[in-house]
Amino acid sequence: MAYWLIKSEPYKWSWDMHVKKGVQGWDGVRNYQASNNMKAMKIGDEAFFYHSNEGKEIVGIVEVVKLYHPDPTDEKGRFGMVSFKAIRPLKKFVTLEQIKATPALSGMALLKQSRLSVSPVTQAEWDCILSLSH
DNA sequence: GCCAACGTTGGC
DNA sequence: GCCAACGTTGGC
């Protein structure tokens, strides 16, 4: 069981939209590193849902319900996507500011590669963020 | 709205 | 296969 973090700009695709829809294919990723991270995902893996630009905070948790498959929005057929189901919102959102201020989270890919939209999260980081969300 | 970081494209 | 030019992301 692995953990991940996925980013979305809330005015394009927000947590609320995802909750309303239930399951959503994570289309539109056009970056090989992000794409490779999705390839490595397994059914049941969980991911934090992060709002970039507006909010800049982790707002909820989703679960992988469909493995890497072709992304219909990619005309060239080069990129794929996984599908995520919304599981639950965090009681308290965990902001980028908090993450930066927490030494245990200083190694997160979110901070080191700010432009990477799908990144891995370690068990320790996952637990730490969950503890901040209570 | 600016701009740094960085990934991608395309000419050579 | 290199690398300059260009485009995009995302924090500030």
Side-chain angles (χ1 to χ4, degrees):
Chain A
M1 162 93 162
Y3 299 104
W4 310 91
L5 182 144
I6 58 174
K7 292 202 262 192
S8 183
E9 300 179 65
Y11 54 87
K12 286 185 187 157
W13 184 254
S14 70
W15 170 254
D16 287 344
M17 293 179 205
H18 206 127
V19 167
K20 207 171 282 183
K21 179 120 185 259
V23 173
Q24 170 71 13
W26 206 248
D27 61 15
V29 173
R30 296 294 179 268
N31 171 285
Y32 287 107
Q33 221 182 326
S35 194
N36 282 336
N37 286 332
M38 287 200 290
K39 268 184 207 167
M41 291 182 188
K42 301 209 167 66
I43 302 288
D45 281 2
E46 293 185 340
F48 288 127
F49 192 113
Y50 175 84
H51 278 164
S52 61
N53 276 312
E54 284 172 33
K56 280 171 288 186
E57 57 199 0
I58 297 171
V59 294
I61 293 173
V62 297
E63 180 184 330
V64 177
V65 292
K66 189 171 177 187
L67 292 177
Y68 194 82
H69 57 288
D71 176 350
T73 68
D74 180 17
E75 299 113 20
K76 292 175 184 164
R78 283 192 290 187
F79 292 94
M81 63 183 190
V82 301
S83 297
F84 294 109
K85 181 171 140 199
I87 301 297
R88 63 184 168 89
L90 297 189
K91 271 186 210 157
K92 273 168 41 187
F93 298 164
V94 177
T95 65
L96 181 64
E97 203 179 352
Q98 280 179 282
I99 292 168
K100 280 185 171 171
T102 306
L105 300 176
S106 64
M108 282 190 75
L110 175 70
L111 301 181
K112 293 200 283 190
Q113 283 175 274
S114 63
R115 294 183 52 202
L116 186 59
S117 59
V118 180
S119 58
V121 173
T122 66
Q123 176 86 56
E125 289 162 352
W126 182 269
D127 292 342
C128 182
I129 288 168
L130 280 186
S131 73
L132 291 173
S133 74
H134 290 146

